[in-house]
Amino acid sequence: MIIHKFGGASLSTIDRIKQTGAIAAEIKEEQVLIVISAMGKTTNALEKVAEAFFNHHKEEALMLFTKIKEHHLTIAKYLLVQTYNETERQLADFFTEIEWLLHDEPVKGFDYYYDQIVCIGELLSSAIVSAYFREEGIPNTWIDVRDILRTDDKFREAAIDWEYSLGKVKNSLLPLLADSPLLITQGFIAATDENESTTLGREGSDYSAAVFANMLDAESVTIWKDVEGVLNADPREFPEATLIPALNYREVIEMAYYGAQVIHPKTIKPLQNKNIPMYVKCFLDPGLPG
């Protein structure tokens, strides 16, 4: 069992989604779980929807959300042929989930509405990616992570209920893996015991991948990013930044503590607890060692 996580940058364009499919086609392990983030800047766009809604700017919220809908439908039309109608119906269910909320008036705190709205980004992207993989001859099963990972109700920074979630992983995910060796699910999001959507805070998708790795006793986690691996500086500010070929868990946490935007310390802990290696690979050039 191995885990792969594809971030928003690797799903930001049609060509990059196709590249993600090419990478997935080369994965040879018998059991694979792929964790998907929202596409590109979708989370930022959904945050603006949440802000407009909470500030009682209903029409603005609906207009902003319509743009997000149209963008995802356009992506789906370019990528899908045989499965487009089926995928459009799945996306429509997600759209309706948010539109019903946007036609109400806010009566709870902002963080609650933030999570209910922003969570759709991962659901939309993972549904499209799953359908595209099937069209490319990569059989897979799409899973709504909100049916697996349970959290408390501290919206925007929810804590996972490990005991309950581990039970769902064992009773739901493992049997599915016996029938479908490739599962696709979402990072960053989860749900409370009342089925209200939650998000897991900063770098939540990487954290989701690490949580699943821990619960499934995975052999490894691979995080696909738009850099060649872990660098000793931000290449956007320091063009001479060089690749660090290997780090131990403590060194990664220290780098993050001093401001490196590589891997968040909370992602490291579930891996460290079971000594699971993480690989940071470049989706633009999968042949690089990372």
Side-chain angles (χ1 to χ4, degrees):
M1 156 59 64
I2 60 171
I3 312 292
H4 286 263
K5 179 258 175 176
F6 291 97
S10 59
L11 306 167
S12 59
T13 67
I14 290 165
D15 285 343
R16 288 188 172 190
I17 295 172
K18 289 181 177 179
Q19 172 68 0
T20 298
I23 292 170
E26 293 299 315
I27 298 171
K28 303 303 182 187
E29 282 77 8
E30 291 185 0
Q31 292 185 323
V32 181
L33 176 71
I34 292 181
V35 175
I36 297 290
S37 297
M39 292 181 183
K41 301 296 184 183
T42 300
T43 299
N44 292 343
L46 287 165
E47 287 175 346
K48 292 180 180 178
V49 173
E51 289 165 3
F53 168 76
F54 191 72
N55 290 321
H56 301 278
H57 300 150
K58 182 186 296 186
E59 295 306 317
E60 180 186 354
L62 288 166
M63 180 191 70
L64 291 169
F65 187 64
T66 296
K67 291 181 180 178
I68 295 168
K69 285 174 52 179
E70 291 173 348
H71 174 69
H72 284 81
L73 289 171
T74 298
I75 294 284
K77 285 175 183 174
Y78 275 102
L79 287 172
L80 308 176
V81 180
Q82 302 100 309
T83 60
Y84 176 75
N85 289 336
E86 173 192 347
T87 305
E88 183 186 30
R89 287 192 293 271
Q90 185 181 13
L91 299 181
D93 289 340
F94 298 140
F95 296 150
T96 300
E97 190 177 321
I98 302 303
E99 287 169 334
W100 279 353
L101 184 153
L102 295 180
H103 279 97
D104 285 337
E105 290 294 328
V107 293
K108 296 185 179 182
F110 175 74
D111 289 352
Y112 169 81
Y113 292 109
Y114 178 97
D115 280 7
Q116 308 320 300
I117 293 169
V118 167
C119 77
I120 197 176
E122 280 70 18
L123 297 167
L124 298 175
S125 62
S126 61
I128 292 171
V129 167
S130 174
Y132 175 67
F133 282 12
R134 291 198 302 274
E135 291 219 357
E136 291 299 299
I138 308 170
N140 67 87
T141 299
W142 182 91
I143 305 294
D144 188 334
V145 74
R146 298 175 299 177
D147 295 332
I148 306 296
L149 295 185
R150 173 169 290 179
T151 69
D152 61 15
D153 60 358
K154 187 179 179 184
F155 298 102
R156 294 188 73 180
E157 198 72 51
I160 290 174
D161 180 336
W162 280 79
E163 182 178 357
Y164 177 90
S165 301
L166 181 59
K168 292 292 286 186
V169 164
K170 289 181 175 178
N171 296 327
S172 299
L173 281 194
L174 287 178
L176 281 173
L177 281 164
D179 298 323
S180 176
L182 173 58
L183 304 182
I184 292 180
T185 195
Q186 308 79 38
F188 182 54
I189 68 174
T192 68
D193 58 4
E194 296 184 355
N195 292 321
E196 294 173 318
S197 298
T198 55
T199 60
L200 304 178
R202 184 182 164 201
E203 302 300 329
S205 288
D206 287 356
Y207 180 56
S208 298
V211 167
F212 277 119
N214 180 291
M215 292 181 176
L216 289 164
D217 293 313
E219 296 173 31
S220 66
V221 176
T222 300
I223 305 291
W224 293 91
K225 292 184 176 288
D226 56 354
V227 292
E228 59 184 295
V230 178
L231 305 174
N232 65 349
D234 186 337
R236 293 168 295 187
E237 297 185 30
F238 301 94
E240 68 278 12
T242 58
L243 181 71
I244 302 173
L247 291 160
N248 63 38
Y249 300 116
R250 179 182 54 78
E251 289 168 335
V252 174
I253 291 171
E254 284 183 1
M255 285 181 68
Y257 178 79
Y258 287 108
Q261 296 179 356
V262 187
I263 303 296
H264 196 278
K266 75 177 182 183
T267 297
I268 297 301
K269 197 61 182 170
L271 303 178
Q272 185 178 18
N273 287 347
K274 290 194 172 179
N275 204 36
I276 299 169
M278 170 182 281
Y279 300 96
V280 179
K281 297 274 285 180
C282 179
F283 70 84
L284 297 172
D285 190 350
L288 293 174

